[in-house]
């Protein structure tokens, strides 16, 4: 009965975001205990702390772009739109065009890329982020950045990471710019 209810929740998520939840259904079908732990992880991935939606989604988008070839990125785009992030900001983050972003969002894009590249420049950027949002903001970014890397890895490990797709934003097709800092 619990599997039926959980699967119904997954199907609702799939319909809401036009997202393939087959990998999550696979986990649920084969190991309920693993699925409940995965659902616990979902609460960490959804945490935004004291960051505004556009800031946390800038980090999530840059992080997911490093690992994914489309479906997970599209999901994050859809969630960002739902959270009220402007299409222009989403497009600029995906294109890595920081000149089109407010200074605080450009900072987060640079910071996220530096963190993922293990570039020491992240230390300098972290200090700027702390000055704006404090250590709580840095913690929120740490959770946002690290959690986004889990989904594509999980999908590829389970054999569901083979399909690539274009990113769409409203009626535009976007090509991500994933420059490795």
């Amino acid at each position: 009965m619990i599997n039926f209810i959980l699967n119904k929740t997954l199907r609702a998520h799939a319909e809401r975001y036009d997202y393939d939840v087959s990998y999550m259904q696979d986990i649920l079908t084969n190991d309920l205990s693993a699925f409940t732990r995965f659902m616990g992880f979902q609460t960490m991935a959804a945490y935004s702390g004291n960051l505004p939606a556009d800031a946390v989604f800038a980090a999530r988008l840059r992080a997911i772009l490093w690992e994914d070839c489309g479906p997970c990125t599209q999901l994050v785009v859809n969630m960002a739109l739902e959270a009220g992030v402007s299409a222009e900001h989403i497009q600029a983050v995906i294109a890595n065009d920081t000149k089109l972003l407010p200074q605080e969002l450009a900072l987060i894009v640079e910071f996220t890329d530096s963190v993922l590249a293990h570039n020491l420049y992240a230390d300098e950027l972290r200090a700027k982020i702390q000055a704006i949002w404090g250590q709580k903001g840095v913690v929120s970014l740490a959770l946002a950045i690290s959690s986004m890397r889990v989904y594509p890895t999980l999908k590829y490990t389970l054999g569901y990471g083979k399909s690539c797709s274009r990113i769409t934003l409203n009626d535009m097709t976007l090509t991500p710019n994933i420059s490795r800092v």
Side-chain angles (χ1 to χ4, degrees):
M1 181 62 160
I2 187 77
N3 280 31
F4 174 80
I5 294 167
L6 292 171
N7 195 42
K8 187 174 178 178
T9 302
L10 289 176
R11 287 193 312 271
H13 179 78
E15 188 174 311
R16 178 178 181 179
Y17 294 109
D18 190 26
Y19 181 70
D20 181 7
V21 295
S22 298
Y23 75 102
M24 291 187 260
Q25 290 172 315
D26 187 4
I27 297 168
L28 174 61
T29 300
N30 289 291
D31 191 340
L32 179 59
S33 180
F35 183 80
T36 58
R37 283 164 178 74
F38 174 69
M39 293 311 292
F41 169 76
Q42 301 277 62
T43 61
M44 180 190 107
Y47 184 75
S48 60
N50 63 333
L51 296 175
D54 57 351
V56 75
F57 276 103
R60 287 176 183 161
L61 281 166
R62 289 308 301 168
I64 201 80
L65 285 167
W66 276 66
E67 300 293 324
D68 184 54
C69 66
C72 289
T73 302
Q74 185 65 59
L75 175 62
V76 177
V77 165
N78 295 345
M79 290 177 158
L81 287 169
E82 182 180 76
V85 178
S86 77
E88 293 78 18
H89 288 173
I90 294 168
Q91 184 178 4
V93 169
I94 290 172
N96 197 18
D97 192 345
T98 56
K99 294 181 288 302
L100 297 177
L101 292 169
Q103 187 175 1
E104 291 176 350
L105 294 186
L107 173 64
I108 287 178
V109 167
E110 280 188 79
F111 177 70
T112 302
D113 284 351
S114 293
V115 165
L116 295 173
H118 300 189
N119 185 322
L120 294 178
Y121 182 50
D123 293 335
E124 183 180 322
L125 299 173
R126 186 180 306 102
K128 293 178 181 181
I129 289 168
Q130 282 175 323
I132 299 167
W133 291 292
Q135 186 60 20
K136 185 174 181 177
V138 174
V139 169
S140 297
L141 287 174
L143 296 180
I145 293 166
S146 60
S147 66
M148 289 300 102
R149 300 190 85 183
V150 169
Y151 297 101
T153 303
L154 186 62
K155 286 173 66 174
Y156 276 92
T157 302
L158 293 172
Y160 293 90
K162 295 182 171 85
S163 67
C164 288
S165 61
R166 298 211 180 262
I167 307 304
T168 59
L169 179 62
N170 298 329
D171 56 355
M172 295 180 290
T173 300
L174 306 177
T175 302
N177 179 352
I178 306 161
S179 58
R180 307 289 190 205
V181 177

